[in-house]
Amino acid sequence: MKPLLHAVESSGPASPAIPFYAPAGHECALFELAWRRRLPLLLKGPTGCGKTRFVAHMAARLGLPLHTVACHDDLSAADLTGRYLLKGGDTVWTDGPLTRAVREGGVCYLDEIVEARKDVAVVLHPLTDDRRILPLERTGEELSAPQSFMLVVSYNPGYQSLLKALKPSTRQRFVAIEFDFLPPEQEIAVVAAESGLSPERVRPLVALAGRLRALKGHDLEEGVSTRLVVYAAGLMASGLPAGEAVLAAMIEPLTDEPDVRAALVEVAKAVVG
Protein backbone atom coordinates (compact mmCIF):
# COMPACT_ATOMS: atom_id res chain seq x y z
CA MET A 1 0.00 0.00 0.00
CA LYS A 2 1.22 3.50 -0.81
CA PRO A 3 2.15 5.74 2.15
CA LEU A 4 -0.32 8.61 2.42
CA LEU A 5 0.65 10.61 5.50
CA HIS A 6 3.92 11.86 6.92
CA ALA A 7 3.08 10.91 10.51
CA VAL A 8 4.60 7.72 11.90
CA GLU A 9 1.89 5.07 12.20
CA SER A 10 1.88 1.89 14.25
CA SER A 11 -1.15 -0.10 15.29
CA GLY A 12 0.68 -1.82 18.15
CA PRO A 13 -0.31 -5.24 19.45
CA ALA A 14 -3.99 -6.05 19.12
CA SER A 15 -5.98 -6.76 22.27
CA PRO A 16 -8.34 -9.76 22.29
CA ALA A 17 -11.20 -7.36 21.47
CA ILE A 18 -9.39 -5.81 18.50
CA PRO A 19 -8.86 -7.95 15.37
CA PHE A 20 -5.20 -8.27 14.41
CA TYR A 21 -4.08 -5.99 11.60
CA ALA A 22 -0.55 -5.16 10.41
CA PRO A 23 -0.35 -1.67 8.87
CA ALA A 24 1.43 -1.35 5.53
CA GLY A 25 1.64 2.44 5.72
CA HIS A 26 -0.34 5.19 7.40
CA GLU A 27 -3.81 3.84 6.65
CA CYS A 28 -4.78 3.63 10.33
CA ALA A 29 -4.00 7.30 10.87
CA LEU A 30 -5.91 8.26 7.73
CA PHE A 31 -8.96 6.22 8.77
CA GLU A 32 -9.03 7.93 12.16
CA LEU A 33 -8.63 11.37 10.60
CA ALA A 34 -11.45 10.64 8.16
CA TRP A 35 -13.68 9.53 11.03
CA ARG A 36 -12.91 12.65 13.07
CA ARG A 37 -13.53 14.89 10.06
CA ARG A 38 -16.77 13.01 9.21
CA LEU A 39 -15.47 12.00 5.78
CA PRO A 40 -16.67 8.91 3.90
CA LEU A 41 -13.92 6.44 3.01
CA LEU A 42 -13.35 4.29 -0.07
CA LEU A 43 -11.00 1.27 0.08
CA LYS A 44 -9.85 -0.24 -3.19
CA GLY A 45 -7.64 -3.25 -3.76
CA PRO A 46 -7.51 -6.93 -4.73
CA THR A 47 -9.59 -9.61 -3.07
CA GLY A 48 -8.18 -10.90 0.21
CA CYS A 49 -5.58 -8.17 0.77
CA GLY A 50 -6.97 -7.11 4.16
CA LYS A 51 -9.61 -4.45 3.49
CA THR A 52 -12.35 -6.05 5.57
CA ARG A 53 -9.96 -6.90 8.42
CA PHE A 54 -8.71 -3.30 8.36
CA VAL A 55 -12.23 -1.94 8.82
CA ALA A 56 -12.97 -4.39 11.66
CA HIS A 57 -9.67 -3.45 13.33
CA MET A 58 -10.32 0.28 13.11
CA ALA A 59 -13.94 0.07 14.27
CA ALA A 60 -12.87 -1.91 17.33
CA ARG A 61 -9.89 0.35 17.94
CA LEU A 62 -12.16 3.43 17.93
CA GLY A 63 -14.82 1.67 20.00
CA LEU A 64 -17.45 1.95 17.25
CA PRO A 65 -20.22 -0.51 16.35
CA LEU A 66 -19.63 -2.12 12.95
CA HIS A 67 -22.47 -2.78 10.48
CA THR A 68 -21.13 -4.85 7.56
CA VAL A 69 -23.02 -5.50 4.33
CA ALA A 70 -21.67 -7.89 1.67
CA CYS A 71 -22.97 -6.36 -1.54
CA HIS A 72 -24.31 -8.55 -4.35
CA ASP A 73 -26.15 -8.27 -7.67
CA ASP A 74 -29.60 -8.22 -6.09
CA LEU A 75 -28.80 -5.79 -3.26
CA SER A 76 -31.17 -2.83 -3.59
CA ALA A 77 -31.54 0.50 -1.82
CA ALA A 78 -34.49 -0.96 0.12
CA ASP A 79 -32.26 -3.75 1.45
CA LEU A 80 -30.05 -1.05 2.98
CA THR A 81 -32.67 1.40 4.16
CA GLY A 82 -35.50 -0.94 5.23
CA ARG A 83 -39.03 -1.96 4.27
CA TYR A 84 -42.47 -2.64 5.66
CA LEU A 85 -42.95 -6.25 6.79
CA LEU A 86 -45.92 -8.19 8.09
CA LYS A 87 -45.58 -9.08 11.77
CA GLY A 88 -48.47 -10.63 13.65
CA GLY A 89 -50.97 -9.33 11.14
CA ASP A 90 -49.61 -5.78 11.30
CA THR A 91 -47.46 -3.96 8.77
CA VAL A 92 -44.32 -2.80 10.58
CA TRP A 93 -41.40 -0.77 9.28
CA THR A 94 -38.07 -2.58 9.74
CA ASP A 95 -34.79 -0.67 9.44
CA GLY A 96 -32.13 -1.96 7.09
CA PRO A 97 -28.43 -2.05 8.13
CA LEU A 98 -27.64 1.40 6.73
CA THR A 99 -30.58 2.99 8.55
CA ARG A 100 -29.64 1.25 11.80
CA ALA A 101 -26.10 2.57 11.49
CA VAL A 102 -27.34 6.12 10.87
CA ARG A 103 -29.74 5.95 13.83
CA GLU A 104 -27.27 4.35 16.24
CA GLY A 105 -23.90 5.60 14.99
CA GLY A 106 -20.85 3.55 14.17
CA VAL A 107 -19.23 2.34 10.96
CA CYS A 108 -21.37 1.11 8.08
CA TYR A 109 -19.15 -0.94 5.76
CA LEU A 110 -20.41 -1.83 2.28
CA ASP A 111 -18.09 -4.50 0.91
CA GLU A 112 -17.72 -4.69 -2.90
CA ILE A 113 -20.03 -1.74 -3.49
CA VAL A 114 -19.90 -2.08 -7.30
CA GLU A 115 -21.75 -5.40 -7.02
CA ALA A 116 -24.89 -3.67 -5.71
CA ARG A 117 -27.70 -2.32 -7.87
CA LYS A 118 -27.41 1.20 -9.24
CA ASP A 119 -30.11 2.65 -6.97
CA VAL A 120 -27.82 2.11 -3.97
CA ALA A 121 -25.56 4.99 -5.04
CA VAL A 122 -28.54 7.37 -5.05
CA VAL A 123 -29.23 6.53 -1.40
CA LEU A 124 -25.59 7.05 -0.41
CA HIS A 125 -25.09 10.45 -2.03
CA PRO A 126 -26.84 12.56 0.68
CA LEU A 127 -24.76 10.77 3.31
CA THR A 128 -21.47 11.52 1.56
CA ASP A 129 -21.65 15.30 1.39
CA ASP A 130 -21.96 17.99 4.03
CA ARG A 131 -25.66 17.20 4.58
CA ARG A 132 -24.96 13.73 6.05
CA ILE A 133 -28.63 12.82 5.85
CA LEU A 134 -30.58 9.70 4.95
CA PRO A 135 -34.04 10.43 3.51
CA LEU A 136 -36.51 7.57 3.99
CA GLU A 137 -39.19 8.17 1.40
CA ARG A 138 -41.42 5.33 2.59
CA THR A 139 -41.67 6.63 6.16
CA GLY A 140 -41.33 10.34 5.39
CA GLU A 141 -38.32 10.60 7.74
CA GLU A 142 -35.08 12.45 7.11
CA LEU A 143 -32.38 11.08 9.42
CA SER A 144 -29.32 13.13 10.27
CA ALA A 145 -26.21 11.03 10.81
CA PRO A 146 -24.73 11.43 14.30
CA GLN A 147 -21.12 12.48 14.84
CA SER A 148 -20.10 8.86 15.40
CA PHE A 149 -21.42 7.65 12.02
CA MET A 150 -18.95 6.80 9.25
CA LEU A 151 -19.59 5.31 5.82
CA VAL A 152 -16.89 3.01 4.41
CA VAL A 153 -17.15 1.22 1.06
CA SER A 154 -14.76 -1.07 -0.79
CA TYR A 155 -14.30 -2.61 -4.20
CA ASN A 156 -11.80 -4.56 -6.27
CA PRO A 157 -10.73 -2.52 -9.33
CA GLY A 158 -9.59 -5.77 -10.98
CA TYR A 159 -13.23 -6.80 -11.38
CA GLN A 160 -14.37 -3.49 -12.85
CA SER A 161 -16.05 -3.45 -16.23
CA LEU A 162 -18.22 -1.05 -18.18
CA LEU A 163 -21.25 -2.64 -16.52
CA LYS A 164 -19.77 -2.69 -13.00
CA ALA A 165 -17.81 0.46 -12.35
CA LEU A 166 -18.08 3.07 -9.64
CA LYS A 167 -19.15 6.30 -11.33
CA PRO A 168 -16.79 9.30 -10.97
CA SER A 169 -19.67 11.29 -9.46
CA THR A 170 -19.82 8.70 -6.66
CA ARG A 171 -16.07 8.05 -6.33
CA GLN A 172 -15.29 11.72 -5.86
CA ARG A 173 -17.44 11.88 -2.75
CA PHE A 174 -14.95 9.71 -0.83
CA VAL A 175 -11.47 9.91 0.60
CA ALA A 176 -9.73 6.85 -0.86
CA ILE A 177 -7.03 4.41 0.23
CA GLU A 178 -5.41 1.99 -2.20
CA PHE A 179 -4.59 -1.43 -0.77
CA ASP A 180 -2.27 -4.08 -2.13
CA PHE A 181 -0.65 -7.22 -0.82
CA LEU A 182 1.97 -6.72 1.86
CA PRO A 183 5.71 -6.96 1.16
CA PRO A 184 6.92 -10.56 1.70
CA GLU A 185 8.42 -10.12 5.16
CA GLN A 186 5.32 -8.38 6.47
CA GLU A 187 3.04 -10.95 4.87
CA ILE A 188 5.06 -13.75 6.47
CA ALA A 189 4.60 -12.14 9.88
CA VAL A 190 0.84 -11.72 9.34
CA VAL A 191 0.31 -15.29 8.12
CA ALA A 192 2.39 -16.69 10.98
CA ALA A 193 0.41 -14.65 13.54
CA GLU A 194 -2.94 -15.66 12.02
CA SER A 195 -2.20 -19.36 11.51
CA GLY A 196 0.16 -20.31 14.33
CA LEU A 197 2.64 -21.74 11.79
CA SER A 198 6.27 -20.74 12.27
CA PRO A 199 7.65 -17.97 10.03
CA GLU A 200 10.20 -20.41 8.59
CA ARG A 201 7.42 -22.69 7.34
CA VAL A 202 5.30 -19.76 6.18
CA ARG A 203 8.09 -18.29 4.04
CA PRO A 204 7.73 -20.76 1.11
CA LEU A 205 3.95 -20.25 1.11
CA VAL A 206 4.38 -16.49 0.71
CA ALA A 207 6.99 -17.05 -1.99
CA LEU A 208 4.50 -19.28 -3.82
CA ALA A 209 1.78 -16.64 -3.43
CA GLY A 210 4.07 -14.14 -5.12
CA ARG A 211 4.66 -16.50 -8.04
CA LEU A 212 0.94 -17.14 -8.45
CA ARG A 213 0.07 -13.44 -8.28
CA ALA A 214 2.46 -12.84 -11.16
CA LEU A 215 0.19 -15.04 -13.29
CA LYS A 216 -2.84 -12.79 -12.82
CA GLY A 217 -4.16 -11.72 -16.19
CA HIS A 218 -2.43 -14.61 -17.94
CA ASP A 219 -3.45 -18.06 -16.73
CA LEU A 220 -5.39 -16.74 -13.72
CA GLU A 221 -8.18 -14.18 -13.39
CA GLU A 222 -7.12 -13.32 -9.84
CA GLY A 223 -3.98 -13.91 -7.76
CA VAL A 224 -3.93 -15.86 -4.54
CA SER A 225 -5.08 -13.79 -1.56
CA THR A 226 -3.39 -13.46 1.81
CA ARG A 227 -6.54 -15.08 3.19
CA LEU A 228 -5.83 -18.24 1.21
CA VAL A 229 -2.21 -18.26 2.35
CA VAL A 230 -3.47 -18.12 5.95
CA TYR A 231 -5.81 -21.04 5.21
CA ALA A 232 -2.94 -23.12 3.83
CA ALA A 233 -0.72 -22.27 6.79
CA GLY A 234 -3.52 -23.10 9.22
CA LEU A 235 -4.01 -26.51 7.61
CA MET A 236 -0.28 -27.18 7.90
CA ALA A 237 -0.28 -26.06 11.54
CA SER A 238 -3.01 -28.65 12.13
CA GLY A 239 -0.84 -31.40 10.69
CA LEU A 240 -1.78 -31.56 6.98
CA PRO A 241 1.24 -32.09 4.70
CA ALA A 242 2.37 -28.97 2.89
CA GLY A 243 1.55 -30.28 -0.60
CA GLU A 244 -2.02 -31.16 0.35
CA ALA A 245 -2.54 -27.88 2.19
CA VAL A 246 -1.29 -25.86 -0.79
CA LEU A 247 -3.45 -27.82 -3.22
CA ALA A 248 -6.60 -27.37 -1.13
CA ALA A 249 -6.11 -23.72 -0.16
CA MET A 250 -3.94 -22.06 -2.80
CA ILE A 251 -4.52 -23.93 -6.07
CA GLU A 252 -7.99 -25.48 -6.22
CA PRO A 253 -9.76 -22.19 -5.33
CA LEU A 254 -8.01 -20.40 -8.22
CA THR A 255 -9.01 -22.44 -11.25
CA ASP A 256 -11.24 -25.19 -12.62
CA GLU A 257 -9.11 -25.70 -15.74
CA PRO A 258 -7.19 -29.03 -15.59
CA ASP A 259 -4.23 -27.73 -17.61
CA VAL A 260 -3.88 -24.59 -15.51
CA ARG A 261 -4.25 -26.61 -12.31
CA ALA A 262 -1.50 -28.99 -13.40
CA ALA A 263 0.80 -26.06 -14.19
CA LEU A 264 0.13 -24.49 -10.79
CA VAL A 265 0.90 -27.78 -9.06
CA GLU A 266 4.29 -27.84 -10.78
CA VAL A 267 4.99 -24.29 -9.66
CA ALA A 268 4.02 -25.26 -6.09
CA LYS A 269 6.31 -28.30 -6.13
CA ALA A 270 9.21 -26.13 -7.27
CA VAL A 271 8.64 -23.51 -4.58
CA VAL A 272 7.22 -25.41 -1.60
CA GLY A 273 8.35 -28.95 -2.35
Side-chain angles (χ1 to χ4, degrees):
M1 193 183 136
K2 299 175 182 177
L4 295 166
L5 299 176
H6 296 297
V8 176
E9 172 62 32
S10 173
S11 69
S15 74
I18 301 179
F20 174 78
Y21 177 77
H26 305 298
E27 64 269 31
C28 295
L30 181 51
F31 186 106
E32 186 167 350
L33 287 174
W35 176 69
R36 295 190 184 284
R37 298 289 299 181
R38 317 301 172 216
L39 302 175
L41 186 62
L42 167 65
L43 311 178
K44 54 183 181 177
T47 299
C49 68
K51 301 187 296 294
T52 298
R53 174 62 65 88
F54 169 63
V55 176
H57 171 84
M58 291 306 302
R61 181 167 156 176
L62 294 171
L64 299 172
L66 176 60
H67 309 260
T68 299
V69 179
C71 298
H72 53 81
D73 290 343
D74 293 326
L75 186 80
S76 66
D79 293 321
L80 292 180
T81 57
R83 50 172 49 93
Y84 284 102
L85 299 174
L86 284 174
K87 290 186 179 180
D90 296 324
T91 303
V92 180
W93 172 262
T94 301
D95 285 342
L98 178 62
T99 302
R100 287 197 299 272
V102 172
R103 289 192 196 277
E104 301 167 8
V107 177
C108 184
Y109 175 48
L110 307 182
D111 188 21
E112 295 297 344
I113 184 66
V114 294
E115 297 294 334
R117 284 167 47 173
K118 292 182 179 179
D119 62 339
V120 166
V122 176
V123 171
L124 298 182
H125 282 185
L127 280 171
T128 54
D129 57 30
D130 57 356
R131 292 173 292 173
R132 283 173 55 88
I133 60 172
L134 178 62
L136 299 176
E137 293 183 6
R138 295 187 181 183
T139 66
E141 294 178 89
E142 184 177 277
L143 304 180
S144 295
Q147 292 293 300
S148 60
F149 172 79
M150 182 180 187
L151 179 65
V152 182
V153 303
S154 73
Y155 76 104
N156 178 357
Y159 285 144
Q160 276 194 296
S161 69
L162 292 176
L163 296 178
K164 286 189 176 181
L166 204 58
K167 291 183 177 180
S169 60
T170 299
R171 246 196 335 239
Q172 292 187 31
R173 292 171 174 270
F174 292 83
V175 173
I177 303 177
E178 182 179 359
F179 279 70
D180 204 345
F181 296 110
L182 292 168
E185 291 303 317
Q186 281 185 273
E187 189 168 18
I188 289 168
V190 168
V191 174
E194 289 285 298
S195 66
L197 194 67
S198 69
E200 293 74 19
R201 298 184 68 194
V202 168
R203 188 174 300 277
L205 298 179
V206 171
L208 175 61
R211 292 280 296 274
L212 297 181
R213 288 165 189 161
L215 298 175
K216 179 182 176 182
H218 300 284
D219 294 326
L220 298 176
E221 291 184 4
E222 191 70 21
V224 64
S225 67
T226 299
R227 181 185 300 116
L228 290 181
V229 182
V230 171
Y231 289 170
L235 292 173
M236 290 171 60
S238 296
L240 194 68
E244 294 181 37
V246 166
L247 180 64
M250 296 178 65
I251 294 179
E252 292 289 6
L254 296 184
T255 183
D256 294 323
E257 297 294 331
D259 292 345
V260 175
R261 177 185 177 278
L264 298 185
V265 168
E266 291 304 312
V267 173
K269 287 180 179 178
V271 176
V272 179

